Structure formats: structure tokens, C-alpha cells
Amino acid sequence: KQVCLIEFEDATTESIFSVKTESTKTKTYEWSSRFDHGYSQILDWKYYATEEKASITNDFSTPPKKLEFALVVGWEKHLQPSNLQSRYDFRKKLLVY
């Protein structure tokens, strides 16, 4: 039995990154609170799946043999400014194990 837990967040312009500072010459971005919320949820699920297996597997009638996690947030088109796509890709790789 395989299970995928999915965390859904919204898909607005600032769902992944929000503008931190903006001037006439530059604009800087920080991780949005929506993204951080969803990312933290995935980390919590991974924690319970690895450190406290009974805690997360008790929610299923049969403990899953494979447990996957996904975060659905934002739109790819909102990653176009600056280096946002590469920052997003880098952070995404850190979550995969």
C-alpha cells in the first residue's frame, strides 16, 4: 500500500516568494509565509514518518509500505523574476530523501 500526503497552499503572485524590498533599481524577494507554512507541514510529516512511525501510521487501517509527501503551491510563472526559479529548485532538492 502506497500513500501520498499532499499539502495544498494558495496560488497567488506571492505564494512562493514575496517582495522584501523594492527600489527603482532592484527588487529582492524572501520566502513567503504560505510557502514556509506548507514546507514546514511536509517536514513535520517526514519527522513523524521517520522518528515516530506509530504516530503517523496509526491514522491508516493498514500501515503504508511507502509514504510520499507533496507540496502544491503557487504558479511556475511567478518564479520568473531574478533567480527565483533556481532558488526554488535548490530548496526543493533539500526536501527530497
Side-chain angles (χ1 to χ4, degrees):
K1 184 176 180 181
Q2 297 180 1
V3 173
C4 182
L5 300 177
I6 303 171
E7 176 71 14
F8 290 95
E9 297 294 335
D10 57 13
T12 66
T13 305
E14 294 194 345
S15 292
I16 301 173
F17 290 99
S18 58
V19 176
K20 183 177 180 182
T21 59
E22 185 173 8
S23 70
T24 55
K25 294 182 181 182
T26 62
K27 189 185 280 190
T28 60
Y29 298 87
E30 63 185 356
W31 294 98
S32 76
S33 61
R34 300 301 298 177
F35 183 87
D36 278 340
H37 176 268
Y39 194 85
S40 294
Q41 181 63 62
I42 300 297
L43 291 175
D44 285 345
W45 285 339
K46 284 191 172 207
Y47 168 78
Y48 287 114
T50 57
E51 302 298 320
E52 298 185 25
K53 288 185 185 212
S55 174
I56 201 165
T57 57
N58 286 341
D59 294 333
F60 303 100
S61 57
T62 304
K65 291 181 180 180
K66 186 172 185 180
L67 193 54
E68 297 286 335
F69 310 92
L71 171 60
V72 178
V73 60
W75 292 97
E76 190 173 272
K77 67 182 179 181
H78 297 142
L79 295 174
Q80 300 310 311
S82 187
N83 65 341
L84 299 183
Q85 181 70 54
S86 60
R87 284 177 64 191
Y88 171 78
D89 291 341
F90 181 81
R91 189 165 180 182
K92 185 170 63 173
K93 286 179 197 173
L94 295 176
L95 192 57
V96 177
Y97 69 86

